[in-house]
Structures are given as C-alpha cells and as structure tokens.
Amino acid sequence: MSYYYSDFEDEDDFMEIDNPFAHLYAKQVEAARNTDRMIGTSILHRVPPEIFAKICSSLEPVWLINLSTTCYAMTVKLSLESGNRIWYDAMPPTLWRESEHYQDEDELWIVWMRQNHPELFCPRDERLIGMEDCQFLGIAGDAFPSNVSRTKVSQKGQDVKHNHTPSCSAEAMIPHGNKAALCGREKVRCLGGTYQPYLNYRREILGRLRTKAYCYFCMAMKDTDGHLLKCWMWNMLICPDCVKEWTISEAAIRELRIEALQPISDHVCLVPHELNGVKKYFRPEIDGALRIWTCVDFATNVGILKERRYMKNMQRLEDSRLERYRREVRHAIVAAAQKIWEGIDPNPEQLPREGVLATEWSFTTQDLTPDTFRYCRDRWAPTSKLPEFLFAPYDLAEFPTKVPLALSGTGYMVDPTMCIRSVSKFVKTFPSARWISNRAMQMLHQLIIWSDPRYCHKGYGGYVSKWVDAAKKYHLDRFEQDLLNQTTVSMARVPVEEHDNVFYRHLRHAREKAGLQLRGSSSILPIPQRPARGSYLDQYSFEEFVRLDRRAASEEQKRAGQLETFNKLMRNTCQCCPMSGWRYFPQGYEGLIDHMRDHHPMQFWALDDWHSIG
C-alpha cells in the first residue's frame, strides 16, 4: 500500500506534523528561537560533526524532527545540505524497501547547483545566475549528474523560490515518475540502498508521518500479527512493540516507592491512557519527573531496585551453611552432566540394579541419544558452557555477592538440590553417585527434549534464557555467513528448477530492489569481465583495452554496492517464513529466528538447513 501527500501549501505546511507532545518543549523552543543566549550556551550544536552524527543516530526520527525545530543552529545542522546523511542513518528498517514519494525536484536541483557550482550564487542574497551565464561559463547540460533534475534556472537578478507545491493533484505528483523522467532523474526504488546525496530523506520520513498510517517511533505499518495499526495514544499511532517501550504502567511507577511522585498525575501533562484496564503514562514524561527527584530515569531506577534485592538475596545465600552444602552437590551434578554430554558413563564401576537392563543414566528415550548431544555440542553448546545452562552463576559461585546482576539471566532449570531442606539431612544422607548421575541425566533430558509441548515452560530448556540466546546466536551467525559467502543472493540453497517458483518471490523481489536482476527475470544480471592483461596486443588496441578495463572496474564497483544493499535488506527487512511462505512480524533476521522458535520449534532446534527466502 502506498500513500501520497500532495496537498502542501508551502514548506512550513509540509514540514509541520501533528506533534502531540510539542507542549512539553514549548518553553525551550520559544526561548531558543527568540534569544541567542541559549544557542551560545548549548553544547550539542558545538560538538564535532562526527559526535553529533553519532548522537543523532541513536534517536528515532520523531525525536530528530523535534531536535531540528529547537533552534536555528539545529535547523541548519539537520538541513538537506548539512545533515542529509544523518536522516539517512536515522531511517528505520521498515522504510528501507519503500520507494521515494515526496521529493521536490526543484529543491534537489538547487542544492546540487549550490554544492557543485557555488560561483553561480551571489554570496549575500544567494541569487542564482541565469542560464545564459551558465553557458558563458562553459557549464554544459551533461555536467549535471544523471540523478539530478535539469529544470529551468531562474533569470539573473531574480530570487530563487523553492516551490514545494508541485501540484495539488496526486496524478501529477513527482512519485508517478513523469516529471522525474523528463528531468533525467531516476526514481529511487529502495530508500535503504546506497546513500543518495541528492535525495531528501527528511521529506520521505515527514511525508509518511503525515499519512498517519505509520507508527510514530519505529514507522512500522503492521503489528506482530500482520494487521494494520489501530492503537492511538495521545494522538499518536503506536505499534504494540513501541507501546511496551514508550509507556509505563502505573503499577510499575508505584513499585519504585518514590513518595515525591505521589500522586503521579501532578507531575505529567498528558492524561494517562487506559489500555486493557491498565493506566499507561508516556515514558519521557515519567523520565523527566524522575530525573528531578532522583537524577536518573525510570530504567536506571528499576535497575537500582533490582540490584538491591539481588544483593540482599546473595548475601543471605553466602552466609548460609546449607547453601554451601547444596553448592557442593551442584558441582558434582555439573561434573556428571559434562561426562554424559561427552558420551561418557559417569559411573562405570557401578553395576545395574536387579531387574534393570541398564544403568538409570543411560539413553532410554528416542529423543535422548548421543547424536542429539553431539548436535548441540558442535553448534551452540560446547561442554565448557554447559554449567551456565544448568545453574545460575551465583548457584555455583563460592561468593555469590561478587557475581554481577547482569550475569544472572532470566530463567534456569529446576534446581534438584532444593530437596535438601536441612543441614542434618544432608549430613546423614549425602547424595550418592547414582543419585547425582540420575539428576544430571534428568536435567539434560529436559534441556533438549524440544518435542515436548511444555518445552517453553519452567523447568525445560525453552525456559532457559542463555540456552535460547546461544541457539539464536548460532542461527544468526549462520545467516550472516551466508550473506558474506553470497550464498543467499545466488540462491545456492534453492534447487535450480525452483528458481522460478512463486515460493521464492520475496527473495527475487529483494534482488530487484537492489538492482541485481530485472523484473520478471530469475537470474542475476551479468557484469562484463576485465580483459586479460596483454590482450590489447592481440585482440584490442590500447585505447579500447583501457576503455573496457575501466568499464569493467566501474561495473564491479557498482555490483559491490548492489550486493551491499541486498545484504542490508535481507538482514534487516526480510519477512517471509522459509517453511510456509507466509509473512511474519517483526521483520529481519531476529524476527525470523524468533518466528521459527515459536512456530516451528523442531526445525529451529533440530535442523540447521532452513534459511531466509525473503
């Protein structure tokens, strides 16, 4: 679905979007515009360009728009001529596959003239010299680049006016290609492709925000279920993922127990939005109020609260005598589990009990085989990392208080040593070697039995955060390696007879967007080969050899840029399931891996031959 917005009265009307939280910064903006004192004391506009670009790259486009309106210095830094690359870097992946729709050809041509022929502009009023003076200076028509329009220049002595209203009709709008074709500029079909210095990325972002069909923060058009966004909060369209990131529930604020924030409504301007019976507050407002009273934002306050609770609990474990006994048993279980993981009997000297065909630790189920252990061990779970999948780091550490909170994880296997409830019971009946081996085998079985429907529940491997993260990282590295080896772009994993299959249309569409193949074709466009050295003596003249060599070098450089664009699109915007062909959300390799883990667990855990198809 494409949206066009052509009813722009002037540039201010185009640049101004509905800003529901503009009143939060009204005083600062007014002071910045009316006084030079704030501009002189500001730090951000005086930092080096590299640092300024790095700071801006961490902001969402909507915050970048607010920053560009704070003062004149920010407006200049984020203009088309000075900060166009910043807007390109800030463009979210959800827009990378889209085409341009909101460009002004006259503006782009003026910018190109000002940068390439500054002598044509008067330094005081920046009036452009007429076309006859261009011809007098020897600037021919072919001096203009192919991607910049060649519109008529204003006559000498007349001020140049930016016409941001090409037409009030969507049929005559620039995105339809009529004006772009007449002016000699090719329409950009992929905004996430190679950076175009004469393409106004800011207008593309603002134009889509004006359609009110994109999320204000991530600029996505659909939610995780593939449906169009319908959640409006504070006059902003927000996707479910951004609701979690940019809103805070009232219960979460009260959990901090900061008396100065009670009642909360006295410290915010926006009325809390009620979503599913829960009051939601706008996070930037809560962060601003917390910085006044605690000097840190909400996330830092939550981290401090968790750290205090964690250290209190670790201090109790470190001083407990029973916990020290449990730690000894845990280390014994880990040692037995590592032997089993390597296919070694942890107790070879023990004979099986009467009536039992094999020792209790042996492989008794179809899912639990030495090959299964070997599959995981060779990919994402080497034996050295097995302890961190079975127990939390503080459960194995001699001094738990020295283990950072960040290493604790969010889920682990059920601790079998918790059945030891007293020191006297531990002293009387120390766990036997058979008991330890059985507990180790049971934990490994629950770690890899991914065919069980309860696998994602507590006590199983799908609940262990580090185990899941290790598997996801393995598949992500596998995908990225295919990109580097050009396995994905060449469809090496796809049989040749299926290259025209509609199942792989998304992959071919990505190659079309990157310029690697023509529409309707299933093969990549060939590039001319460089002539062999010395061949000009036998086949070509020296001039023809140089011409062919330069042409081949130029095509090779162009192909490198196309491959980079394709890898970028596939890495961040692919959204087609390799098992069903249906689309999934959120997009990108991370979204694909999460989709496979949730909807195709057997392929995710037991196979590594699935790949992205677009």
Side-chain angles (χ1 to χ4, degrees):
M1 182 180 295
S2 300
Y3 294 87
Y4 300 95
Y5 189 85
S6 58
D7 301 330
F8 302 147
E9 297 297 336
D10 51 22
E11 181 170 358
D12 294 336
D13 179 60
F14 176 78
M15 293 303 176
E16 182 181 357
I17 64 173
D18 296 334
N19 192 344
F21 39 86
H23 64 278
L24 300 176
Y25 316 101
K27 294 182 180 180
Q28 294 88 333
V29 172
E30 188 66 23
R33 288 178 174 175
N34 296 336
T35 64
D36 295 332
R37 181 173 56 83
M38 178 172 288
I39 298 177
T41 58
S42 176
I43 298 177
L44 186 58
H45 83 282
R46 291 185 294 175
V47 300
E50 296 81 5
I51 300 179
F52 180 77
K54 188 69 174 179
I55 295 174
C56 293
S57 64
S58 62
L59 300 177
E60 286 76 10
V62 66
W63 300 117
L64 209 56
I65 293 171
N66 280 273
L67 179 63
S68 65
T69 60
T70 53
C71 62
Y72 177 75
M74 290 293 105
T75 303
V76 174
K77 276 183 170 291
L78 295 173
S79 63
L80 172 60
E81 299 184 44
S82 303
N84 196 39
R85 185 57 186 254
I86 296 177
W87 292 98
Y88 170 78
D89 295 335
M91 184 173 296
T94 51
L95 302 182
W96 286 356
R97 286 201 181 194
E98 297 193 13
S99 305
E100 67 170 67
H101 289 302
Y102 305 97
Q103 295 303 305
D104 184 355
E105 298 295 323
D106 296 338
E107 178 190 34
L108 299 180
W109 186 82
I110 292 296
V111 170
W112 183 89
M113 286 292 298
R114 185 178 290 119
Q115 292 183 356
N116 292 274
H117 300 284
E119 69 276 3
L120 303 183
F121 288 84
C122 298
R124 178 168 297 181
D125 52 5
E126 288 197 346
R127 291 180 299 180
L128 189 62
I129 300 177
M131 181 63 74
E132 62 277 4
D133 293 333
C134 292
Q135 297 175 356
F136 176 77
L137 293 174
I139 303 176
D142 55 0
F144 299 93
S146 59
N147 63 336
V148 177
S149 61
R150 283 178 269 179
T151 54
K152 185 177 180 180
V153 191
S154 60
Q155 297 298 324
K156 183 178 180 179
Q158 297 179 357
D159 292 336
V160 175
K161 295 183 179 179
H162 295 256
N163 181 13
H164 293 282
T165 312
S167 174
C168 294
S169 172
E171 296 298 329
M173 189 64 178
I174 296 174
H176 281 282
N178 297 332
K179 184 175 181 180
L182 292 175
C183 297
R185 191 180 77 88
E186 296 182 1
K187 178 182 176 182
V188 176
R189 299 180 60 247
C190 181
L191 294 177
T194 308
Y195 170 70
Q196 302 291 337
Y198 302 109
L199 181 71
N200 195 336
Y201 292 96
R202 183 188 184 189
R203 286 182 67 92
E204 295 296 330
I205 294 174
L206 288 168
R208 283 164 174 79
L209 288 178
R210 287 297 298 268
T211 62
K212 298 184 178 180
Y214 294 79
C215 174
Y216 259 62
F217 298 99
C218 68
M219 302 196 71
M221 290 187 64
K222 297 183 179 180
D223 56 14
T224 54
D225 296 328
H227 302 138
L228 294 177
L229 304 181
K230 298 180 180 179
C231 181
W232 285 87
M233 304 175 67
W234 306 295
N235 199 25
M236 293 185 294
L237 186 62
I238 308 180
C239 68
D241 292 336
C242 291
V243 168
K244 300 177 183 178
E245 182 179 357
W246 293 102
T247 61
I248 303 175
S249 63
E250 186 176 10
I253 301 174
R254 295 185 182 278
E255 190 177 356
L256 297 178
R257 298 181 181 180
I258 300 177
E259 298 297 335
L261 286 180
Q262 305 300 331
I264 304 174
S265 58
D266 294 346
H267 302 273
V268 296
C269 298
L270 297 177
V271 178
H273 183 86
E274 188 168 346
L275 183 65
N276 298 329
V278 179
K279 285 186 176 181
K280 296 286 187 177
Y281 290 87
F282 192 45
R283 182 164 186 165
E285 282 194 313
I286 301 300
D287 286 342
L290 287 174
R291 287 191 182 97
I292 295 176
W293 298 103
T294 63
C295 300
V296 291
D297 58 2
F298 176 79
T300 307
N301 275 287
V302 172
I304 293 174
L305 183 61
K306 289 183 178 180
E307 182 73 22
R308 290 176 179 174
R309 294 176 179 175
Y310 174 80
M311 291 303 298
K312 184 178 180 180
N313 188 34
M314 292 303 103
Q315 187 66 40
R316 179 185 61 81
L317 296 180
E318 190 170 314
D319 298 338
S320 173
R321 181 184 175 188
L322 176 61
E323 187 62 27
R324 290 197 296 270
Y325 290 150
R326 288 173 176 169
R327 193 179 303 120
E328 294 179 9
V329 179
R330 293 188 192 113
H331 281 285
I333 293 176
V334 168
Q338 288 179 331
K339 290 183 178 180
I340 299 174
W341 197 248
E342 294 285 349
I344 304 174
D345 189 343
N347 302 304
E349 69 281 356
Q350 292 191 3
L351 298 177
R353 296 178 300 177
E354 295 182 1
V356 180
L357 298 178
T359 55
E360 296 183 16
W361 74 271
S362 62
F363 304 99
T364 57
T365 63
Q366 183 178 1
D367 295 332
L368 201 63
T369 63
D371 293 336
T372 306
F373 289 157
R374 188 182 305 109
Y375 175 85
C376 300
R377 186 175 67 245
D378 295 342
R379 284 162 177 79
W380 68 81
T383 307
S384 59
K385 288 188 175 182
L386 191 60
E388 64 185 52
F389 300 141
L390 301 180
F391 295 100
Y394 51 80
D395 286 338
L396 299 175
E398 184 178 359
F399 301 99
T401 55
K402 295 183 179 180
V403 178
L405 173 61
L407 299 178
S408 60
T410 57
Y412 287 96
M413 307 291 294
V414 176
D415 190 352
T417 63
M418 298 305 294
C419 62
I420 304 175
R421 296 293 183 178
S422 63
V423 177
S424 58
K425 181 179 179 180
F426 179 86
V427 174
K428 291 180 181 179
T429 58
F430 187 86
S432 62
R434 181 181 296 277
W435 184 90
I436 291 176
S437 300
N438 290 340
R439 298 291 83 76
M441 191 64 186
Q442 180 183 5
M443 295 184 73
L444 293 180
H445 179 262
Q446 294 177 345
L447 185 67
I448 65 173
I449 185 171
W450 37 70
S451 60
D452 195 311
R454 302 169 297 173
Y455 186 67
C456 293
H457 296 177
K458 187 175 182 179
Y460 292 85
Y463 181 78
V464 180
S465 57
K466 291 189 176 181
W467 173 261
V468 175
D469 293 342
K472 291 168 62 176
K473 185 179 183 302
Y474 165 74
H475 289 297
L476 182 61
D477 293 343
R478 181 170 61 87
F479 279 8
E480 292 182 344
Q481 189 63 33
D482 286 346
L483 290 179
L484 294 177
N485 298 337
Q486 299 184 13
T487 304
T488 305
V489 67
S490 62
M491 301 176 68
R493 297 183 181 274
V494 181
V496 179
E497 59 273 10
E498 295 186 10
H499 279 197
D500 295 333
N501 195 328
V502 68
F503 189 71
Y504 299 98
R505 64 186 182 276
H506 297 286
L507 180 56
R508 296 196 303 269
H509 180 68
R511 298 201 303 188
E512 293 174 8
K513 282 286 185 178
L516 290 170
Q517 72 179 40
L518 299 177
R519 180 172 297 182
S521 174
S522 60
S523 59
I524 298 179
L525 294 172
I527 59 175
Q529 300 294 328
R530 288 193 175 188
R533 291 186 178 182
S535 59
Y536 65 89
L537 298 176
D538 302 329
Q539 303 178 17
Y540 312 105
S541 63
F542 180 76
E543 291 77 8
E544 188 177 4
F545 174 84
V546 172
R547 182 180 60 82
L548 293 176
D549 187 72
R550 289 180 177 178
R551 178 190 174 191
S554 177
E555 291 295 330
E556 289 178 358
Q557 185 177 4
K558 182 180 178 181
R559 177 55 54 87
Q562 293 172 345
L563 290 174
E564 182 180 356
T565 300
F566 174 84
N567 293 345
K568 179 180 178 181
L569 293 179
M570 292 299 299
R571 172 65 178 81
N572 299 278
T573 68
C574 67
Q575 53 182 1
C576 189
C577 174
M579 308 305 299
S580 63
W582 295 98
R583 291 193 174 187
Y584 62 86
F585 296 91
Q587 58 189 5
Y589 277 173
E590 287 81 0
L592 169 61
I593 293 173
D594 289 336
H595 169 80
M596 293 295 296
R597 184 174 68 92
D598 296 337
H599 297 86
H600 310 282
M602 290 301 298
Q603 286 77 12
F604 175 82
W605 293 106
L607 300 174
D608 58 358
D609 57 350
W610 50 277
H611 57 94
S612 173
I613 63 172

